[in-house]
């Protein structure tokens, strides 16, 4: 029986010079006990459809036509119904955990607040339920982490907290917008299994928004493919992946194949490795393994408790003078994991990209600056018009491309990439990876590539280091690591890697 029915849904953004059609006459049905995968490029309208269901469309956007039927109720006819259903009938897992969580409340306070808002439980009962949920989504030492703040969790850990928030009020419809994007493969596997289990046990209707076709193959019962706001194709997962009817779907499939204040946490423990000039070195491991901490120490955002980091025979951890630090920072740039919080929402894109350029080259003319910004935008597949827009006007993938353009602006020698493609669909992901490879070849660029996406690391890197619990398990040439892993943890990561071939089993 159909539980959610979307009829002719359209969402428009009226801009100063043009109208952007984010969704056009979309028709989708979801049954209870079913997982519908919603896939497409960045900016295709996937997240827009998810947000439109509960009328969370930012101005100047609006639902211009269509209806959303939940059970027997058209929830768009009554704004009070939508507010009532959010968090109760409808659970939400947003793409960005950084902006989904309140930074001034502990995760426990946020869970209790949500539970008591929708369920008639005492504070003690709500706390027990919260701790059990944190355990269920794979957070170790849940009793202690219950009292931690969001900034004390890694990106993947924060996303698991968001998932527990979405599940805490036992919803009937779950909208999951890239729920495993920030998670390593082992935790990703657990979360996907949890979603499938809850779908069957609680008879949930689930919309899984993702760009990862491996996740779709292993999780979704049916798939809806979107492009430029249009629903291109919809059908059973196996049929869409093996016998797609539309050319876009065929190309999409082809692209796929091609710390607590009371307790100190040992984030990185006695790690040693070297990166050769012109090499791509990958760091992989589960959320909280220390990958991002190492990246931030390399760019001098964190100071190591012990040990040294050398760049071109200079110990960068001991640089004191600002002038020396500025020279060093021009040579090493970083692409952060989270484009939402790393971009200043008050600045236009052209000002965001111009900032590092003018900082290191204050004498550059306005004409040269603008031309350079346009070139950088075009190199990451964004138009010149993007320069005059603000970050909130872009999709998650487009925001990450802006971050990449900014990182490339100073023409660095070492590029530290912390999950640079995690928010991108497979077609744009391939373009970005090819861009980085081209830049590496042209400029003899050295790349430290941090990711939980093993196929991406395999495509991108010459050598790979595997981290677990802050320790380096092994370092090996890429193909040797994938074909002949030596450490048991590496073998487990490779076993849990989502594979589109699973659809044939």
């Amino acid at each position: 029986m159909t539980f959610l029915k979307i009829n002719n849904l359209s969402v428009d953004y009226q801009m100063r010079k043009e109208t952007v059609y984010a969704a056009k006459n979309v028709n989708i049905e979801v049954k209870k006990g079913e997982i519908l995968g919603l896939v497409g490029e960045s900016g295709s309208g996937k997240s827009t459809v998810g947000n439109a269901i509960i009328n969370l469309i930012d101005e100047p956007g609006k639902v211009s036509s269509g209806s959303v039927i939940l059970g027997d109720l058209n929830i768009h006819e009554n704004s009070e119904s939508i507010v009532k259903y959010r968090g109760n009938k409808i659970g939400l897992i947003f793409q960005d955990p950084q902006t989904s969580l309140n930074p001034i409340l502990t995760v426990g306070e946020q869970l209790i607040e949500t539970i008591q808002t929708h369920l008639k439980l005492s504070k003690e009962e709500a706390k027990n339920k919260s701790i059990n949920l944190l355990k269920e989504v794979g957070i170790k030492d849940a009793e202690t982490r219950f009292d931690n703040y969001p900034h004390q969790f890694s990106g993947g850990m924060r996303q698991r907290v968001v998932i527990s928030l979405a599940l805490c009020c036992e919803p009937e419809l779950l909208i999951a917008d890239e729920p495993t994007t920030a998670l390593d493969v082992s935790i990703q596997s657990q979360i996907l299994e949890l979603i499938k289990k809850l779908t069957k046990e609680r008879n949930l209707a689930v919309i899984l928004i993702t760009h990862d076709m491996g996740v779709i193959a292993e999780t979704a019962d049916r798939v809806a493919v979107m492009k430029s706001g249009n629903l291109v194709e919809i059908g059973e997962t196996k049929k869409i992946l093996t016998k797609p009817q539309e050319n876009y779907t065929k190309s999409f499939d082809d692209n796929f194949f091609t710390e607590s204040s009371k307790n100190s946490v040992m984030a990185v423990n006695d790690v040693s490795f070297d990166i050769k000039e012109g090499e791509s070195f990958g760091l992989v491991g589960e959320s909280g393994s220390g990958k991002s901490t190492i990246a931030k120490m390399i760019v001098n955002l964190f100071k190591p408790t012990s040990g040294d980091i050398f760049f071109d025979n200079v110990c960068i951890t001991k640089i004191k003078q600002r002038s020396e630090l500025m020279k060093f920072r021009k040579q090493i740039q970083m692409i952060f994991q989270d484009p939402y919080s790393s971009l200043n929402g008050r600045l236009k894109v052209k000002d965001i990209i111009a900032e590092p350029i003018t900082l290191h080259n204050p004498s550059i003319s306005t004409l040269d600056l603008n031309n350079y910004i346009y070139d950088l935008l075009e190199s990451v597949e964004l138009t010149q018009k993007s320069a005059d827009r603000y970050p909130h006007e872009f999709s998650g993938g487009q925001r990450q491309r802006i971050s990449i353009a900014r990182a490339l602006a100073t023409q660095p020698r070492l590029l530290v990439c912390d999950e640079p493609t995690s928010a991108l669909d497979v077609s744009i992901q391939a373009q970005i990876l090819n861009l980085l490879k081209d830049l590496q070849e042209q400029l003899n660029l050295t790349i430290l590539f941090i990711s939980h996406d093993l196929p991406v690391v395999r495509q991108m890197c010459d050598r790979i280091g595997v981290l677990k619990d802050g320790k380096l398990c092994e370092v090996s040439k890429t193909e040797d690591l994938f074909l002949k892993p030596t450490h048991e943890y590496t073998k487990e990561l490779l076993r849990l890697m989502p594979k589109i071939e699973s659809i044939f089993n």
Side-chain angles (χ1 to χ4, degrees), residues 423-492:
L424 304 181
D425 62 85
V426 288
S427 57
I428 302 300
Q429 184 181 82
Q431 294 173 22
I432 295 301
L433 294 176
N434 289 334
L435 170 66
L436 291 172
K437 285 185 174 181
D438 290 343
L439 287 167
Q440 183 177 31
E441 184 176 345
Q442 295 168 14
L443 306 173
N444 195 32
L445 192 65
T446 305
I447 296 176
L448 172 60
F449 198 92
I450 296 169
S451 180
H452 63 267
D453 192 328
L454 294 175
V456 167
V457 176
R458 186 176 192 175
Q459 178 184 346
M460 189 67 197
C461 299
D462 304 305
R463 291 187 301 136
I464 299 174
V466 181
L467 281 166
K468 179 175 174 57
D469 297 331
K471 295 182 179 180
L472 194 63
C473 298
E474 67 175 298
V475 176
S476 179
K477 291 182 179 179
T478 299
E479 287 307 305
D480 290 344
L481 185 134
F482 276 85
L483 299 176
K484 299 177 182 178
T486 59
H487 197 279
E488 289 301 316
Y489 176 66
T490 308
K491 295 176 183 178
E492 181 69 4

Side-chain angles (χ1 to χ4, degrees), residues 282-489:
L283 271 183
V284 300
E286 63 186 30
S287 299
S289 62
K291 306 187 301 293
S292 296
T293 301
I294 289 174
K296 290 172 183 176
M297 286 192 291
I298 290 174
V299 297
N300 217 11
L301 292 178
F302 287 173
K303 291 289 185 182
T305 307
S306 62
D308 294 309
I309 300 172
F310 289 86
F311 176 73
D312 200 16
N313 296 321
V314 176
C315 183
I316 59 180
T317 54
K318 295 179 180 178
I319 295 177
K320 301 296 183 182
Q321 295 183 356
R322 176 176 170 78
S323 59
E324 291 298 316
L325 189 61
M326 290 293 288
K327 291 179 183 178
F328 149 72
R329 282 190 167 157
K330 181 179 180 180
Q331 297 183 74
I332 303 179
Q333 290 291 303
M334 186 170 182
I335 302 170
F336 292 94
Q337 180 178 357
D338 180 18
Y340 296 82
S341 59
S342 64
L343 297 177
N344 189 333
R346 298 181 179 181
L347 296 180
K348 290 184 177 180
V349 168
K350 63 182 180 183
D351 298 318
I352 291 172
I353 298 176
E355 190 173 24
I357 301 172
T358 55
L359 178 67
H360 295 286
N361 186 10
S363 62
I364 188 171
S365 69
T366 301
L367 178 62
D368 289 343
L369 177 62
N370 287 335
N371 288 335
Y372 187 33
I373 291 170
Y374 294 150
D375 289 342
L376 286 167
L377 288 172
E378 289 178 359
S379 72
V380 295
E381 303 294 330
L382 292 174
T383 65
Q384 292 186 9
K385 291 182 179 179
S386 302
D388 290 312
R389 295 164 64 186
Y390 291 91
H392 75 271
E393 298 178 65
F394 296 86
S395 68
Q398 290 169 328
R399 271 191 286 256
Q400 189 65 299
R401 279 177 270 173
I402 295 168
S403 297
I404 293 170
R406 179 181 60 182
L408 298 174
T410 63
Q411 299 180 346
R413 293 174 61 194
L414 172 62
L415 196 61
V416 180
C417 305
D418 188 359
E419 303 277 7
T421 60
S422 63
L424 304 181
D425 62 85
V426 288
S427 57
I428 302 300
Q429 184 181 82
Q431 294 173 22
I432 295 301
L433 294 176
N434 289 334
L435 170 66
L436 291 172
K437 285 185 174 181
D438 290 343
L439 287 167
Q440 183 177 31
E441 184 176 345
Q442 295 168 14
L443 306 173
N444 195 32
L445 192 65
T446 305
I447 296 176
L448 172 60
F449 198 92
I450 296 169
S451 180
H452 63 267
D453 192 328
L454 294 175
V456 167
V457 176
R458 186 176 192 175
Q459 178 184 346
M460 189 67 197
C461 299
D462 304 305
R463 291 187 301 136
I464 299 174
V466 181
L467 281 166
K468 179 175 174 57
D469 297 331
K471 295 182 179 180
L472 194 63
C473 298
E474 67 175 298
V475 176
S476 179
K477 291 182 179 179
T478 299
E479 287 307 305
D480 290 344
L481 185 134
F482 276 85
L483 299 176
K484 299 177 182 178
T486 59
H487 197 279
E488 289 301 316
Y489 176 66

Side-chain angles (χ1 to χ4, degrees), residues 261-303:
S261 60
K262 298 179 181 178
N263 303 287
S264 61
V265 177
M266 181 70 75
V268 178
N269 187 1
D270 196 24
V271 170
S272 298
F273 63 88
D274 61 83
I275 305 175
K276 301 171 184 177
E277 188 170 6
E279 179 184 38
S280 290
F281 186 88
L283 271 183
V284 300
E286 63 186 30
S287 299
S289 62
K291 306 187 301 293
S292 296
T293 301
I294 289 174
K296 290 172 183 176
M297 286 192 291
I298 290 174
V299 297
N300 217 11
L301 292 178
F302 287 173
K303 291 289 185 182

Side-chain angles (χ1 to χ4, degrees), residues 181-228:
T181 293
L183 304 181
D184 60 87
V185 290
S186 58
I187 303 301
Q188 178 186 77
S189 176
Q190 295 173 24
I191 295 302
L192 293 176
E193 286 300 321
L194 174 62
I195 290 175
K196 289 194 287 185
K197 177 184 174 184
L198 290 167
T199 303
K200 300 303 179 185
E201 290 183 353
R202 304 189 185 189
N203 201 27
L204 285 172
V206 178
I207 296 178
L208 178 62
I209 302 170
T210 183
H211 61 264
D212 191 327
M213 298 299 287
V215 169
I216 290 294
E218 295 190 352
T219 310
D221 301 301
R222 291 190 301 129
V223 183
V225 182
M226 293 194 68
K227 176 178 172 60
S228 302

